[in-house]
Amino acid sequence: MTAILKLVNISKRFGSLTANDAISLSLEEGEILALLGENGAGKTTLMNILFGHYTADEGHVEVFGKPLPPGQPDAALAAGIGMVHQHFSLADNLSVLENIMLGTESLWAWRQDTAFATGRIKQLSRDFGLTVDPMAQVSTLTVGERQRVEILKALYRDARILILDEPTAVLTPQESESLFETLRSLVDRGMSIIFISHKLNEIVSVSDRVMVIRRGKVVAEQPIRGADRASLAEAMVGHTVHAPKGDVLAPGDVVFQLQNVSAGAADGGQPLVDVDLAIHQHEIVGIAGVSGNGQQTLADLISGLCRPGSGSMTLFGNKLAHYNPDVMVKSGVGRIPEDRNRVGVIGEMTVQENLISEKRRRLPFSKFGFMNAKVIEDHAARQIDAFDVRCQGPHAETRLLSGGNVQKLILARVLDAEPSLLLADQPSRGLDVGAVAYVHEKILDARARGCGVLLISEDLEELMALSDRIVVIYHGRLSQPVNPEDITARDIGLMMSGQSEAA
Amino acid sequence: MDFIEILFTAGFWAATLRIATPLIFGTLGELVCERAGVLNLGIEGIMTMGAMSGWMWVYMGGDLVSGILFAAFIGMLFGLLHSLFAVYLGLSQHVAGIGITMLASSLSYFVFRMLLPTATTPPKIDPFQSYPIPGLSDLPYVGTPLFTQTPMTYGAFVVVLVVWYVLYSTPVGLAVRMTGENPIAAEAQGIDVLAVRTGAVVVGSGLMSVGGAFLTMSAFDAFYFGMVNGRGWICVALVIFASWNPGKALLGALLFAGIDAWQVRVQQLPGINIPYQFFLMAPYVLSIVAMIVMSRRALYPKALLVPFRRGERT
């Protein structure tokens, strides 16, 4: 076995943040190396340096014994490196064929040899079980298919080293399994793979060797055979992780109630049909269901983004006269939205601005219509500290934060207002172990304080662990609430697919 | 003769094609820029510059064909300037474009006055003459309007075909469309995004400039102040109308030109008591209506207006 790829003493700084601190790595032929680390640990930065998107401040890269010129993606491609980015780099309005062919022919050719390219793509599809129609427009493909296109892109260019950045983050469990099979068949044919993830399970099942990165440094490196999961998790997070557990609390008054509510969804989503639901103080009500069964409409109702078409909705015992997000926030509703980057924060604005976006017009943040810069900055500094939001400070642009830190920012904003009703819509989706535990702890703290929580999640384990009662949503209707201790995950799964009703 | 009969006269169709010519050049130029993700609001000024520089070249003794090439070259220089701001420095494309328009328009008038300080009535050149295509121009009905035009009008139609072919059937066209859709993906495929965008803006600006030159070298024979008269802005709207598609851009330009040619003729009908301003308005009002209908389904380039900066965290 020989190392075909070497990264030597790579360091990269963004402002005062050291993303990579003297990282060295070597990849051997025909192995799958896993890079394990929390969000924001520096895995992606390292791979972007390897691929030439960024230029390292220090250190160098060698491929097949030759140094790789820094900062040139085309040099990396020519050296046989292919990369599948976490956020797919495909053009939606172009066809699969066009996405794959781009840059593979001389720019000044008078025509494109589409027949040859189509044939080659079909051949590769067959060889590696990556079924996809070359003529399809990318916007019509499922997430799983798009990922296949990304892998085909690398194969089309005869890549010998493939880097996958969080490839399973957007896949269903079945799609992930088929991806792993593809990866194994690639390795059997001499491909070498770097697999970036923060999910321990899949790393253990797919890789040969694991390297753990924490805060820009390599903290552990070992073969996967005989690796101890608990110790890997600890190396990744830096301390032992305990899954938080809520105390037994008696439910208090009803904080939110829906009676015979039907509501239409914006953008043609699944409407709610004749729904009854009550949330009490000191209670977490979990909503289980396959995505697209009306969760969005339910969340929009609580967020004030849509109004009930019929039936009655009461908040803290009062019927609402107006429905808009401002009214809901002022009444004491906290909202953790499903899509934190698109709906939860404004990426182009600073951390401190996002932290006060719901109370910008209130004392002491503004007075007589003027913002108080000092108060806002101090508030942000305190919140960043209290919620451990890792960023360059109150003035950092929010889009530069990693997913976990954006979620902490939203938690800070929402919980600072001490809401009496909390909507937590997919609060831990895409977060790493440490961040998930943190989010859960904060939600349980809110419950202990007397807040009623509506937890919408597709993660059954999360629902079973946190909820006092679970309600299944299916085709816009809600089941009777069930106690998580009286039911198995399998039964809930059946209810989610509409195959059984709760007793 | 009434409103409808006008549509069956050869004069109406000939005028439609003539009026459409600068719009076709301008719209295609803008389309090429926008397909690469760069809005070029310098178009109004670049067309003015093209009108002045092409005319001046001929007035100073050059021939017509090299005059067009000169106009295109000058337009490309302004395209390069726009690229410097909007592509390399990643500044606001709106601000840079408006700035180019102000600079190029004013500079055109300034240079014109510098070189011809004493001229009171605008001096004239010998412009392109109509060139009947042998054989085709003798066809009944369509011969006169379609095939008895000036060479630049024929050129406009050829350019539509060329732009369409290059965009959809060559590697460089694919690279242009990709940088307008997803520059990060294009870079990951080894494409130099900044170079491709610059190339598109330079070529597009050259086309715009030729559109302006048509006015002084083919439609008229002199350079007047304010002669581009908003045609550049119409082109920007036509690109949206066309959903960034060269074929539909041609259609849009013809539609707008047709309404314009029609309203001029309706104004002259006897017994019309409507103020002529309403007729002048017609092409604009109808373009707004057409835009509302067409652009709702428009597939705009995803990365339009998004500056691309290398090596920045995204």
Side-chain angles (χ1 to χ4, degrees):
Chain A
M1 286 279 211
T2 47
I4 55 170
L5 170 72
K6 270 187 177 165
L7 275 70
V8 185
N9 279 323
I10 300 282
S11 292
K12 175 75 181 170
R13 284 171 288 272
F14 294 102
S16 61
L17 181 88
T18 303
N20 288 161
D21 189 357
I23 294 185
S24 294
L25 171 159
S26 75
L27 178 69
E28 287 172 8
E29 190 158 14
E31 76 164 345
I32 301 184
L33 169 68
L35 276 188
L36 179 66
E38 288 192 293
N39 289 315
K43 308 174 301 250
T44 302
T45 302
L46 186 66
M47 290 304 111
N48 278 333
I49 289 168
L50 167 56
F51 198 66
H53 284 307
Y54 300 157
T55 307
D57 296 326
E58 283 150 42
H60 67 277
V61 180
E62 280 174 35
V63 187
F64 298 109
K66 291 193 208 80
L68 185 70
Q72 295 173 17
D74 48 352
L77 285 168
I81 300 173
M83 182 151 175
V84 177
H85 293 82
Q86 181 176 9
H87 305 289
F88 297 147
S89 51
L90 296 171
D92 289 357
N93 292 335
L94 304 185
S95 72
V96 170
L97 178 69
E98 289 175 324
N99 270 286
I100 294 176
M101 279 185 84
L102 176 73
T104 58
E105 294 180 302
S106 157
L107 266 187
W108 305 114
W110 278 108
R111 56 183 295 272
Q112 294 176 296
D113 196 347
T114 47
F116 167 78
T118 313
R120 186 162 150 75
I121 292 168
K122 286 192 171 148
Q123 182 67 41
L124 289 168
S125 296
R126 267 197 302 279
D127 289 355
F128 295 97
L130 295 159
T131 323
V132 63
D133 172 15
M135 290 305 152
Q137 189 166 310
V138 169
S139 60
T140 65
L141 302 182
T142 65
V143 175
E145 286 172 320
R146 287 179 200 212
Q147 187 161 58
R148 284 180 224 147
V149 177
E150 288 279 18
I151 296 173
L152 280 171
K153 241 158 77 171
L155 296 177
Y156 189 87
R157 288 172 177 259
D158 297 315
R160 297 192 51 200
I161 299 167
L162 188 63
I163 305 163
L164 297 115
D165 190 1
E166 303 274 2
T168 59
V170 290
L171 301 184
T172 65
Q174 289 77 16
E175 284 172 331
S176 300
E177 201 39 59
S178 108
L179 170 70
F180 296 157
E181 268 169 40
T182 304
L183 296 187
R184 284 182 208 111
S185 79
L186 286 172
V187 168
D188 287 345
R189 294 175 191 223
M191 180 82 90
S192 315
I193 294 175
I194 298 181
F195 185 94
I196 303 177
S197 180
H198 62 253
K199 293 181 187 164
L200 268 174
N201 292 344
E202 56 190 44
I203 279 185
V204 170
S205 73
V206 79
S207 65
D208 301 310
R209 194 155 60 93
V210 59
M211 205 166 114
V212 186
I213 296 183
R214 187 172 80 234
R215 297 201 171 195
K217 285 187 181 146
V218 179
V219 290
E221 192 182 349
Q222 61 182 114
I224 206 74
R225 200 178 297 255
D228 169 31
R229 278 218 214 168
S231 68
L232 283 179
E234 205 177 314
M236 172 167 82
V237 185
H239 52 84
T240 343
V241 182
H242 296 291
K245 188 77 196 130
D247 304 322
V248 180
L249 292 169
D253 300 338
V254 175
V255 289
F256 177 76
Q257 190 160 33
L258 296 175
Q259 285 170 308
N260 305 105
V261 166
S262 295
D267 339 318
Q270 170 71 45
L272 290 179
V273 188
D274 197 16
V275 162
D276 289 297
L277 180 71
I279 303 170
H280 301 81
Q281 287 177 324
H282 298 299
E283 182 183 52
I284 297 178
V285 176
I287 300 286
V290 177
S291 165
N293 269 292
Q295 291 97 326
Q296 183 68 50
T297 314
L298 185 59
D300 283 354
L301 265 182
I302 299 185
S303 308
L305 292 167
C306 79
R307 55 176 61 234
S310 65
S312 94
M313 168 165 147
T314 50
L315 190 62
F316 314 123
N318 306 315
K319 258 197 90 137
L320 289 168
H322 301 289
Y323 298 92
N324 65 48
D326 201 37
V327 167
M328 298 311 252
V329 171
K330 281 192 179 137
S331 317
V333 180
R335 294 114 17 108
I336 302 173
E338 177 182 7
D339 188 339
R340 60 184 80 100
N341 290 311
R342 211 165 58 81
V343 181
V345 294
I346 300 169
E348 273 65 37
M349 292 174 66
T350 61
V351 168
Q352 64 173 14
E353 285 167 333
N354 274 295
L355 277 170
I356 58 143
S357 57
E358 286 183 342
K359 41 184 175 263
R360 64 195 181 282
R361 290 199 304 229
R362 275 187 247 158
L363 283 169
F365 303 105
S366 68
K367 208 186 225 176
F368 309 123
F370 292 95
M371 312 288 281
N372 189 333
K374 184 87 184 84
V375 171
I376 292 170
E377 191 175 343
D378 290 349
H379 169 77
R382 271 197 311 279
Q383 296 285 75
I384 287 169
D385 220 34
F387 286 81
D388 189 28
V389 182
R390 278 180 219 156
C391 62
Q392 288 182 36
H395 296 284
E397 253 185 278
T398 307
R399 68 186 174 92
L400 302 180
L401 269 57
S402 68
N405 284 311
V406 169
Q407 194 70 321
K408 285 179 185 171
L409 189 161
I410 293 173
L411 279 171
R413 176 175 74 204
V414 167
L415 297 177
D416 179 59
E418 305 210 329
S420 308
L421 172 65
L422 178 66
L423 165 71
D425 194 356
Q426 311 290 355
S428 60
R429 179 187 279 174
L431 302 186
D432 52 63
V433 191
V436 169
Y438 186 85
V439 170
H440 287 176
E441 190 187 309
K442 289 293 172 188
I443 291 175
L444 288 168
D445 284 352
R447 167 179 175 268
R449 197 170 44 72
C451 183
V453 180
L454 184 75
L455 173 67
I456 301 178
S457 178
E458 279 167 48
D459 180 353
L460 276 183
E461 269 180 50
E462 173 173 52
L463 285 169
M464 301 288 269
L466 294 183
S467 308
D468 296 294
R469 291 186 296 147
I470 292 180
V471 176
V472 176
I473 190 164
Y474 179 69
H475 283 193
R477 293 172 194 276
L478 295 182
S479 72
Q480 289 299 313
V482 291
N483 188 327
E485 281 158 26
D486 303 339
I487 194 164
T488 63
R490 195 177 159 276
D491 290 336
I492 294 185
L494 287 175
M495 288 165 72
M496 281 164 57
S497 57
Q499 290 177 39
S500 86
E501 266 296 317
Chain B
M1 207 146 78
D2 67 11
F3 294 95
I4 306 298
E5 274 174 46
I6 289 171
L7 300 180
F8 297 102
T9 59
F12 163 77
W13 287 100
T16 298
L17 260 57
R18 192 177 60 240
I19 296 169
T21 302
L23 299 179
I24 295 171
F25 279 113
T27 307
L28 287 175
E30 184 67 34
L31 186 143
V32 169
C33 298
E34 291 190 20
R35 270 296 182 137
V38 184
L39 177 71
N40 189 349
L41 292 182
I43 182 168
E44 181 79 7
I46 291 172
M47 286 181 84
T48 310
M49 204 56 177
M52 195 283 295
S53 53
W55 179 89
M56 190 60 82
W57 178 269
V58 177
Y59 183 75
M60 294 292 183
D63 65 292
L64 287 164
V65 173
S66 60
I68 290 180
L69 295 179
F70 181 67
F73 172 73
I74 296 291
M76 289 164 114
L77 288 185
F78 280 92
L80 208 56
L81 187 62
H82 186 55
S83 310
L84 173 68
F85 294 131
V87 178
Y88 280 91
L89 299 178
L91 305 177
S92 157
Q93 299 179 3
H94 289 101
V95 175
I98 300 273
I100 297 280
T101 279
M102 286 162 55
L103 174 70
S105 307
S106 311
L107 202 59
S108 305
Y109 304 140
F110 179 69
V111 169
F112 183 76
R113 270 282 164 249
M114 284 272 287
L115 296 179
L116 300 168
T118 54
T120 45
T121 50
K124 296 182 186 328
I125 59 166
D126 288 329
F128 280 108
Q129 299 301 315
S130 60
Y131 177 79
I133 296 182
L136 293 173
S137 59
D138 297 332
L139 290 173
Y141 305 115
V142 296
T144 317
L146 298 189
F147 300 110
T148 314
Q149 296 284 354
T150 61
M152 289 188 80
T153 300
Y154 303 133
F157 284 83
V158 173
V159 167
V160 174
L161 284 177
V162 171
V163 167
W164 174 80
Y165 180 83
V166 170
L167 273 183
Y168 293 102
S169 301
T170 65
V172 74
L174 176 58
V176 167
R177 287 184 291 139
M178 193 77 165
T179 53
E181 288 286 336
N182 188 342
I184 298 167
E187 194 199 28
Q189 297 273 73
I191 298 290
D192 185 338
V193 174
L194 300 184
V196 169
R197 285 190 159 182
T198 299
V201 172
V202 166
V203 169
S205 303
L207 287 175
M208 297 168 187
S209 194
V210 171
F214 171 83
L215 296 172
T216 49
M217 299 172 68
S218 194
F220 306 101
D221 51 11
F223 177 77
Y224 305 95
F225 291 95
M227 80 181 304
V228 172
N229 192 21
R231 283 183 179 84
W233 308 135
I234 293 292
C235 293
V236 174
L238 283 174
V239 173
I240 302 166
F241 172 84
S243 287
W244 291 269
N245 175 316
K248 287 188 193 164
L250 173 65
L251 265 180
L254 288 174
L255 182 70
F256 181 87
I259 299 167
D260 205 15
W262 176 79
Q263 63 88 12
V264 171
R265 282 160 181 75
V266 171
Q267 279 183 48
Q268 293 156 358
L269 290 179
I272 297 277
N273 291 321
I274 305 167
Y276 74 95
Q277 285 90 344
F278 282 94
F279 293 107
L280 286 178
M281 252 188 253
Y284 302 94
V285 171
L286 285 170
S287 335
I288 290 171
V289 172
M291 288 254 312
I292 292 168
V293 175
M294 295 286 287
S295 58
R296 292 194 56 156
R297 297 188 297 272
L299 275 181
Y300 63 95
K302 284 249 170 86
L304 183 60
L305 298 177
V306 182
F308 178 78
R309 298 189 185 98
R310 290 216 56 215
E312 195 172 82
R313 293 192 95 175
T314 44

